[in-house]
Amino acid sequence: MKILGIDTTGQTASAALLEDDRLIAEFTLNYKLTHSQTIMPMIAEIIERSETDKASIDCIACAAGPGSFTGLRIGAATAKGFALALDKPLVAVPTLDALAYNVFETGKFICPIMDARRNQVYAAFYMWENGRLIRLTDHMAESVERIIEIAEMLEHEVIFLGDGVPVHRARLEENERFLFAPAHCNLQRAASVAALGRLLAEEGQAKSGDDFELIYLRKSQAEREREERLAKEEEK
C-alpha cells in the first residue's frame, strides 16, 4: 500500500510518501512560511523526486486535529483535493495519536502536548502494549496544570513531546519523572501520519474525501469572541 501523508496541524508543515514499511520520502519544514505557501510545493517535490505516478497512490492520510484552526483547514483542503482528484480513499489520523507514534516501544507513558494558548494544551496519554500504541485517555483541551496533575497520578516516567513543551518546559522540569523527546521526533511528522494511517486503512477506517471530519476539541477564537459579545449584549 502506497500512502501520501500530510500534516499541517501545528507550526510544522510535513508531507511524506510511504509504501508498505518503507519510507520513500519525507519533507518537513518548521519555519516562518505559512502552510498555504509550503504544503503543495512539498508534495509536488516528493512526487517528482521519487518519480511517483500519482495514480499509484492508494490512500491519503491526513492529520485531522486537534491543532491550529487555519492549519487544520489547509491540510484538510489539500488532502480532500488529492483524494477526490485521484478517486482515492482518505483516512483521518488524530494529530495527537500520530505525535505519540513518533516514540516507539517504550515502557514509559507518552504524552504529546500541543500549545492551545490561554495556558491550555491539547493532550492525551498513551502507552505501548504488545506492539500497539494504546491511547489511555480521550483527546483533551485542558490547562497544563491539569495535564501535569494526571501525569503525576501515574507515578511513572512520562515522555512529553509537541510544541507545548517549550512553552511549559520550566513547569514540567519540576518533576524528575518527566522526560522530553529529542528534536528529531518531538514535532509533527507526516511519516508518522502515513504509518499510522496505513494501520487505520487496513482496519477499514479509510473513507471518501467527502466524509473527512476534523477534530477541533474547542471552538475557534472568533467563535468564542462572538459568543462573549452576544452574551454582553444580552446583559444590557
Side-chain angles (χ1 to χ4, degrees), residues 20 38 71 144 156 165 186:
D20 297 327
T38 57
V144 70
H156 195 70
V165 169
N186 69 354

Side-chain angles (χ1 to χ4, degrees), residues 18-159:
L18 189 82
E19 185 170 14
D20 297 327
D21 288 325
R22 182 168 67 100
L23 177 61
I24 297 174
E26 183 178 30
F27 195 154
T28 300
L29 185 65
N30 182 16
Y31 196 57
K32 301 174 183 178
L33 298 175
T34 64
H35 296 332
S36 59
Q37 293 175 291
T38 57
I39 193 63
M40 284 300 294
M42 289 163 66
I43 294 172
E45 182 79 2
I46 284 174
I47 290 173
E48 179 182 353
R49 293 289 182 178
S50 63
E51 299 181 340
T52 297
D53 179 358
K54 291 190 289 291
S56 71
I57 296 172
D58 298 296
C59 184
I60 315 297
C62 181
S68 156
F69 283 71
T70 301
L72 284 171
R73 290 163 182 162
I74 291 171
T78 303
K80 284 184 177 182
F82 270 93
L84 295 173
L86 301 175
D87 193 24
K88 303 293 183 179
L90 175 58
V91 59
V93 180
T95 304
L96 292 168
D97 294 9
L99 261 172
Y101 207 61
N102 287 354
V103 182
F104 181 67
E105 277 290 7
T106 175
K108 302 173 178 62
F109 291 99
I110 304 168
C111 182
I113 58 173
M114 299 172 63
D115 183 26
R117 309 243 175 126
R118 297 190 175 189
N119 204 42
Q120 283 195 323
V121 293
Y122 300 123
F125 286 84
Y126 302 80
M127 67 178 294
W128 281 93
E129 187 175 277
N130 298 323
R132 291 186 65 86
L133 183 68
I134 308 298
R135 179 159 49 85
L136 304 173
T137 66
D138 291 334
H139 300 125
M140 299 176 282
E142 290 281 0
S143 69
V144 70
E145 291 299 330
R146 176 55 181 158
I147 299 304
I148 290 173
E149 180 184 342
I150 295 171
E152 289 178 338
M153 288 171 58
L154 298 173
E155 297 184 347
H156 195 70
E157 291 178 314
V158 180
I159 299 173

Side-chain angles (χ1 to χ4, degrees), residues 180-199:
F180 305 100
H184 69 283
C185 60
N186 69 354
L187 292 177
Q188 286 92 327
R189 290 189 59 185
S192 293
V193 173
L196 189 53
R198 176 193 167 203
L199 297 179

